[in-house]
Amino acid sequence: MAESAESSKDYFVTTVNEDHATICWGCGLRLLLPTHAPVFKCGWCGAITSQNVNKTETKCLWGRRLQDRCFVTILSVFMLFLICGGVWAVHWFVFSVSYTFGIFHYILTAILAATTVSTFSLSAFRCAGTPPTLLWGSYPVVGKGDLENYTFCHYCVKPKSPRAHHCRSCGTCVLDMDHHCPFIGNCVGAANHRHFIAFLFSAVFSTIYISFISAYAGLHIWPPVKYRSLGHLNGSGRDLAIQAFKEVMLALIGLSVLLWQQLCYIYEGKTYLSHLSSQGSGGDHIEEKGCQNIFRFFGCPYSIFIYLPTLRNSPKRHTK
């Protein structure tokens, strides 16, 4: 009876085409792929491999980084020059109004200047965010699902998490990368995103305060000058004032729009790059948006949110 059962079994022998077999970069296991599979996912570790890799060598990366650092340093010195020059230009006027107003002006100016320069420096010179280091490449070391949805960065030659993006300007992978900002010469990521938002807040408030003080001082200074040199003021002086007003307003509008855009992305629980990714993929992941995302971003305890009015909206689909 046992012999008849064994004889009824069918054994199939087939050959495996080497073009359809590959090695998983995450765990080192040999995988059998379907025909013409450019992207595949390992069933053990969860790593994703793309066979269509178009790696472009980044040349003169150190030169670009040096150029960014020099530009940021010059911009920082210029900011300090504007702050010190502005304080020196109006110090006699603010104290002529009242001694209390002069002291208030100096204290507020010192706070805004220190906040703006410090947050700008932290955004520019601090690492934007380094992805966690994981063990990979060997089956005994990599457990099941340890590299779920990880890809391999051929520039950094190491695993790249789903939350990371490689910046070719910085030459490294950045965790929760939002964008590469040329004005700070650095990426905006998980480690310096808060400092970047704080810099935008401080820059907007500083621009508003400087504009107010300058306008207030100008209105009290120009009337006496107008009667002494009316023609000169109505000519180049007025054109200079109008040009300065336009530049200040453009800077204020630009900073305000950028700040509002950043807060909207934080409110929706995503970054600028994830926003672009969600538009390209049509959105495959459901993420709740609301004020709780802003509280989490700034490190506030989530328990505070339950005492505030409910402002939650319906979930919105996007890809993280």
Side-chain angles (χ1 to χ4, degrees), residues 6-16:
E6 292 180 359
S7 61
S8 62
K9 294 181 178 179
D10 295 330
Y11 296 93
F12 298 94
V13 179
T14 183
T15 59
V16 177

Side-chain angles (χ1 to χ4, degrees), residues 275-296:
H275 170 72
L276 296 180
S277 178
S278 64
Q279 288 184 337
S281 61
D284 297 327
H285 182 69
I286 297 177
E287 185 76 15
E288 184 180 7
K289 65 177 182 178
C291 293
Q292 69 275 8
N293 295 327
I294 298 180
F295 280 94
R296 293 194 188 102

Side-chain angles (χ1 to χ4, degrees), residues 82-92 94 105-106 109-110:
L82 288 181
I83 293 172
C84 296
V87 171
W88 175 82
V90 300
H91 79 280
W92 62 270
V94 294
H105 168 73
Y106 270 95
T109 301

Side-chain angles (χ1 to χ4, degrees), residues 126-142:
R126 185 174 183 178
C127 178
T130 304
T133 303
L134 299 175
L135 298 176
W136 61 282
S138 178
Y139 165 71
V141 176
V142 180

Side-chain angles (χ1 to χ4, degrees), residues 46-182:
I48 299 176
T49 301
S50 176
Q51 296 183 354
N52 298 331
V53 179
N54 296 323
K55 179 181 176 182
T56 304
E57 184 180 0
T58 303
K59 299 180 180 180
C60 300
L61 181 62
W62 63 270
R64 184 184 304 174
R65 295 294 293 169
L66 180 61
Q67 180 181 359
D68 290 340
R69 291 310 181 208
C70 292
F71 173 77
V72 171
T73 303
I74 295 174
L75 186 58
S76 301
V77 174
F78 181 69
M79 290 172 58
L80 291 175
F81 172 77
L82 288 181
I83 293 172
C84 296
V87 171
W88 175 82
V90 300
H91 79 280
W92 62 270
F93 169 76
V94 294
F95 278 101
S96 66
V97 176
S98 68
Y99 183 80
T100 303
F101 180 71
I103 296 298
F104 171 79
H105 168 73
Y106 270 95
I107 294 176
L108 185 58
T109 301
I111 294 175
L112 291 176
T115 304
T116 303
V117 174
S118 61
T119 53
F120 176 81
S121 301
L122 289 173
S123 302
F125 296 103
R126 185 174 183 178
C127 178
T130 304
T133 303
L134 299 175
L135 298 176
W136 61 282
S138 178
Y139 165 71
V141 176
V142 180
K144 185 174 178 61
D146 287 351
L147 299 175
E148 187 68 24
N149 293 328
Y150 272 65
T151 56
F152 187 78
C153 181
H154 293 270
Y155 298 95
C156 300
V157 195
K158 63 180 181 180
K160 182 177 67 174
S161 71
R163 297 170 51 194
H165 182 82
H166 183 85
C167 177
R168 297 187 181 183
S169 298
C170 296
T172 184
C173 289
V174 179
L175 186 64
D176 288 340
M177 178 178 173
D178 186 84
H179 68 285
H180 181 88
C181 181

